Amino acid sequence: MNADPRERQAAIVKRSLTISGHRTSVSLEDAFWRRLKTLAAGRRRSLGALIAEIDAARNGANLSSAIRVFVLENSSQ
């Protein structure tokens, strides 16, 4: 049985990555991961490079939250 597409988009996906030389993991809904990949490609950056930029500018906010805000603020691009 296939899951409802809305359930798939809302499913939390945890990914591990390296930012500025340290390993971390980020948990985001699938819909945010897909949009973030699209934004990275549009900027000709790797996903990791774009996340590193978001990390550097987040001013102490939770990284997952900072990514969600970034995606929402750039949703028209």
Side-chain angles (χ1 to χ4, degrees):
M1 193 179 333
N2 291 333
D4 182 327
R6 290 170 294 183
E7 289 177 17
R8 187 176 60 91
Q9 289 179 5
I12 299 290
V13 178
K14 187 174 186 176
R15 301 217 170 129
S16 297
L17 50 125
T18 301
I19 301 174
S20 302
H22 70 274
R23 295 288 292 167
T24 191
S25 60
V26 178
S27 297
L28 294 170
E29 294 77 6
D30 186 56
F32 280 100
W33 281 118
R34 284 185 282 115
R35 182 66 182 139
L36 191 60
K37 287 179 187 177
T38 300
L39 289 169
R43 294 168 184 241
R44 293 191 171 111
R45 289 184 172 55
S46 69
L47 183 61
L50 182 57
I51 292 173
E53 290 177 24
I54 296 167
D55 181 53
R58 68 184 166 123
N59 297 320
N62 173 281
L63 181 56
S64 294
S65 296
I67 292 170
R68 286 184 186 96
V69 169
F70 177 86
V71 168
L72 290 172
E73 288 178 345
N74 291 278
S75 62
S76 63
Q77 297 179 357

